[in-house]
Amino acid sequence: MKFCLRTYGCQMNVRDSEAVEALMIAAGHEKVASEDEAELVIVNSCTVRQKAEDKAVGKMGYLCSTGKMTGLMGCAVKRLGRDVFKVLPKLDFAVGPRAFGLIPKIVASNPHGVLELGDDLIPEGMGAHEVKGFQTFVTVLIGCDNRCSYCIVPDVRGHEYSRPEVEIEAEVRSLVDHGVKEVCLLGQSVLRYGAREGKADAFPHLLERLCAIEGLERIRFTSAHPKGCTDELIRVYRTYPQICRHLHLPVQSGSDRILKEMGRRYTRAEYLAAVAKLREFDPEFAITTDIIVGYPGETEADFELTRSLMEEAGFDNSFVFKYSPRPGTRSAMLPDDVAKEEKERRDQVLLADQEARGLRRNQALVGTVREVLAEGPSKRNPARYAGRDSGNRIVVWEGARPVGSKVQVRITEAHAQILIGEAI
Ligand code: SAH
Ligand code: SF4
């Protein structure tokens, strides 16, 4: 069949979609770019906030009216269960986030109303890839055993499962043989790799093992937690320059009271100590974060603590989310008492702060030379080329370079989200 896939949500979903594409191609189906041309359309859904779910389910609703075979995968399926067919009566099949490996088999059965939730299944085909460029995601840890009060992820993605090191290593070696130079290792709380099995510092040791692979130029990973920023992690950073100097370290709030209610398992001071440790090791170390504004009971004073924490941490970038109650989570029992307009205002204040901070941080890099891997023409100005430095900062310069090649760029101009320079 001619099929296409549409993806909503986080990098984990992007990776799962890639695996499904590779599995479908291996089963003899043909991937097409346009929905019009496709005989089968699959939507990979998110449910982390209600808006995200509505977008994916809305898209699927439209596609169900076109008469094509349709399938919904991902987190919204697990949340909705059987009700998915009440919302989408014409949907042919639905699979939860751990059941995507079953899709080729389901498609072959000419499905109607098929539901596979997957629960705590270890997904088949997690390592399937259709290598497209020099960068790719690799799943190392699925599920989440943390129980942050606001978060639906553990309910929909199930318990943690760390893939065996040998399996990950073999996958990365094969990717490198197919031209991959940069991998991004994925897990909800990726530094907990091996924690369920009681192994200490299993993640730094996995990094060390992957650093031995010849031809692998860069390793990234996401998302991190301050508890995982151990001395052993810093030692591994120090030893291997190919591990990128960037961490996405979601903080969520700067107020100890809110952090406690959220069940984040760190205080403001502990979080800032982790930031200081990373920046002590490398002052240019890039740190990005996620923030939730308008958590139940968040006062103006709590919000101001978030503002001051963001300034103290000197975040290079941040993603701000307006609190959305998710059914079944602990915080959904609390009144969602911060008004919509107030959430919006707090969001805008943090965005403006970040814009100014991002600009200031980037201005400090003017005159430095960034090592970049060329990704292709810049989206905004195709006459320019773009790539990323080790800190995941977007760098653009004049003049084409082969995609995937290393370029040294001297920075001449800084913006909040982008650095401009000359290739040398
Ligand atoms: N596993 C990652 C986060 C996954 S969800 C981690 O813990 O680091 C991505 C982001 O969505 C979270 O960091 C949080 O900021 C936001 N988020 C999660 N649940 C939310 C909710 N109910 N309302 C608003 N934002 C939420
Ligand atoms: Fe959600 Fe917390 Fe797990 Fe992240 S660590 S996925 S925020 S429960």
Side-chain angles (χ1 to χ4, degrees):
M1 286 181 98
K2 290 184 177 171
F3 76 97
C4 79
L5 227 153
R6 294 289 176 257
T7 306
Y8 294 83
C10 64
Q11 286 115 322
M12 200 67 84
N13 266 12
V14 173
R15 170 67 204 122
D16 292 348
S17 289
E18 283 174 2
V20 170
E21 287 179 351
L23 292 171
M24 287 291 287
I25 292 167
H29 302 286
E30 184 194 344
K31 185 174 112 179
V32 293
S34 90
E35 290 160 21
D36 290 344
E37 208 188 327
E39 299 157 276
L40 160 65
V41 190
I42 301 169
V43 171
N44 194 352
S45 62
C46 175
T47 188
V48 76
R49 288 166 295 277
Q50 189 58 42
K51 259 206 183 130
E53 181 180 303
D54 294 345
K55 252 198 225 164
V57 172
K59 175 82 178 175
M60 190 84 269
Y62 158 73
L63 290 165
C64 283
S65 69
T66 60
K68 299 174 191 292
M69 186 190 280
T70 48
L72 188 67
M73 60 184 276
C75 296
V77 172
K78 186 71 203 296
R79 190 185 85 74
L80 290 163
R82 259 283 143 216
D83 284 352
V84 73
F85 296 109
K86 280 190 199 146
V87 185
L88 298 164
K90 288 188 183 156
L91 184 67
D92 294 307
F93 66 90
V95 297
R98 291 169 86 130
F100 62 78
L102 304 173
I103 289 180
K105 224 186 278 168
I106 295 173
V107 168
S109 72
N110 195 24
H112 194 73
V114 173
L115 177 67
E116 293 284 354
L117 289 177
D119 296 324
D120 275 337
L121 197 71
I122 296 166
E124 291 167 46
M126 255 191 294
H129 287 267
E130 180 213 353
V131 177
K132 281 177 280 194
F134 70 92
Q135 298 162 309
T136 193
F137 292 121
V138 171
T139 302
V140 302
L141 171 72
I142 61 169
C144 185
D145 285 351
N146 290 329
R147 283 269 162 191
C148 302
S149 63
Y150 51 83
C151 188
I152 196 165
V153 169
D155 293 333
V156 292
R157 284 198 172 261
H159 276 304
E160 281 174 4
Y161 168 76
S162 297
R163 295 178 66 201
E165 274 188 38
V166 280
E167 199 177 305
I168 296 164
E169 186 188 341
E171 182 173 329
V172 175
R173 276 191 194 279
S174 147
L175 288 167
V176 171
D177 288 344
H178 288 85
V180 167
K181 293 182 176 173
E182 177 177 323
V183 295
C184 179
L185 310 177
L186 295 180
Q188 290 300 335
S189 196
V190 75
L191 302 179
R192 281 184 50 82
Y193 176 79
R196 203 177 161 82
E197 290 75 31
K199 291 185 210 151
D201 284 317
F203 189 74
H205 298 148
L206 173 69
L207 286 177
E208 213 160 16
R209 193 159 171 165
L210 298 181
C211 283
I213 299 175
E214 192 104 16
L216 181 61
E217 296 193 14
R218 278 181 174 178
I219 304 178
R220 301 185 185 279
F221 48 91
T222 198
S223 288
H225 186 282
K227 278 223 187 324
C229 298
T230 59
D231 293 343
E232 188 60 4
L233 183 70
I234 301 285
R235 181 191 68 77
V236 172
Y237 266 123
R238 216 184 283 283
T239 315
Y240 301 97
Q242 61 268 55
I243 306 175
C244 291
R245 280 25 178 169
H246 166 234
L247 261 195
H248 186 61
L249 197 60
V251 67
Q252 315 300 354
S253 170
S255 154
D256 279 337
R257 189 181 67 83
I258 299 284
L259 287 172
K260 190 154 188 228
E261 289 207 9
M262 286 178 164
R264 290 292 296 176
R265 301 181 300 116
Y266 53 80
T267 60
R268 175 190 176 100
E270 283 165 341
Y271 182 90
L272 287 170
V275 168
K277 200 168 175 178
L278 295 163
R279 293 259 170 78
E280 189 189 335
F281 149 65
D282 177 355
E284 287 181 358
F285 199 102
I287 302 176
T288 58
T289 204
D290 291 343
I291 303 282
I292 297 177
V293 290
Y295 183 82
E298 185 189 67
T299 62
E300 187 61 26
D302 292 319
F303 172 66
E304 285 301 326
L305 284 166
T306 298
R307 276 187 90 182
S308 67
L309 174 128
M310 291 177 78
E311 198 48 43
E312 275 180 60
F315 291 126
D316 294 272
N317 205 352
S318 53
F319 302 88
V320 182
F321 302 105
K322 286 172 261 183
Y323 174 73
S324 164
R326 307 308 294 127
T329 60
R330 267 181 291 135
S331 69
M333 321 264 265
L334 304 169
D336 181 13
D337 57 1
V338 179
K340 205 165 158 252
E341 301 71 41
E342 182 57 18
K343 283 180 187 164
E344 181 60 36
R345 188 192 70 83
R346 291 178 189 178
D347 182 17
Q348 291 304 323
V349 169
L350 297 188
L351 285 177
D353 284 357
Q354 184 59 54
E355 188 77 8
R357 184 185 314 115
L359 178 61
R360 215 172 347 101
R361 290 193 62 79
N362 278 347
Q363 275 167 345
L365 299 175
V366 171
T368 65
V369 175
R370 318 306 301 167
E371 184 172 277
V372 171
L373 290 185
E375 291 182 11
S378 154
K379 277 186 198 120
R380 279 195 223 161
N381 179 353
R384 283 178 167 158
Y385 245 60
R388 280 167 198 271
D389 75 351
S390 172
N392 211 31
R393 303 175 186 94
I394 300 170
V395 178
V396 304
W397 66 92
E398 300 275 340
R401 290 295 168 99
V403 169
S405 64
K406 243 183 216 164
V407 190
Q408 307 292 332
V409 182
R410 189 184 308 282
I411 304 305
T412 54
E413 194 182 322
H415 298 266
Q417 304 272 357
I418 199 168
L419 294 166
I420 299 172
E422 293 158 352
I424 53 176

